[in-house]
Amino acid sequence: WTEWTMCSASCGTGQKHRSRKVKTQKQHDGKSCDPPANQSTTCIVKSCPIDCMWNEWEEWSNCTATCGGGTHLRHRRPLQEGQHGGKMCSDDTNQSGS
C-alpha cells in the first residue's frame, strides 16, 4: 500500500486515500489479486472554529419614567458561544435607549 494521503479537510471530517498496484500478475493458473486497489477512510484533523451566534434582541422593557428622561432596556443572549478558536461573543448583551 502507498502512504495515506493528507486528509481532504483542514478541520472537521474529511477523507484520506491510499492505493496499491499489482507487483506480479497471475501466472500458471495462479490466483488473481483481489480488489480493492484503493482504500478510503474518514479522518478528523481538528475541530473547526465555530463563531458566536446571537439570539434576536428581546422586546424593549417599559420606560423607567412616565414622562421625560426615562430609559428602557432590552437583552439578547448567545445562541452559540464561540468554540475552537472561533469568534467569541462580546459582552454586548444589553442595550439601552431613551
Side-chain angles (χ1 to χ4, degrees):
W1 289 100
T2 60
E3 295 293 320
W4 286 104
T5 62
M6 292 187 66
C7 191
S8 62
S10 59
C11 67
T13 304
Q15 291 284 311
K16 60 183 181 178
H17 310 277
R18 69 180 183 171
S19 61
R20 65 181 176 178
K21 293 183 181 179
V22 175
K23 276 187 168 180
T24 306
Q25 293 293 335
K26 170 181 139 175
Q27 297 177 15
H28 312 290
D29 295 324
K31 186 177 175 184
S32 296
C33 294
D34 290 331
N38 298 300
Q39 283 185 334
S40 298
T41 190
T42 299
C43 52
I44 300 174
V45 177
K46 62 180 180 179
S47 296
C48 292
I50 299 172
D51 290 339
C52 167
M53 290 175 37
W54 288 99
N55 276 306
E56 295 296 318
W57 287 101
E58 295 174 1
E59 294 295 320
W60 287 103
S61 67
N62 292 328
C63 189
T64 58
T66 55
C67 88
T71 59
H72 54 165
L73 300 171
R74 66 180 182 168
H75 307 280
R76 66 177 178 174
R77 302 203 187 317
L79 179 65
Q80 168 69 58
E81 292 284 353
Q83 297 179 26
H84 314 297
K87 182 180 174 186
M88 300 303 289
C89 296
S90 66
D91 291 334
D92 190 19
T93 60
N94 297 314
Q95 203 175 45
S96 63
S98 47

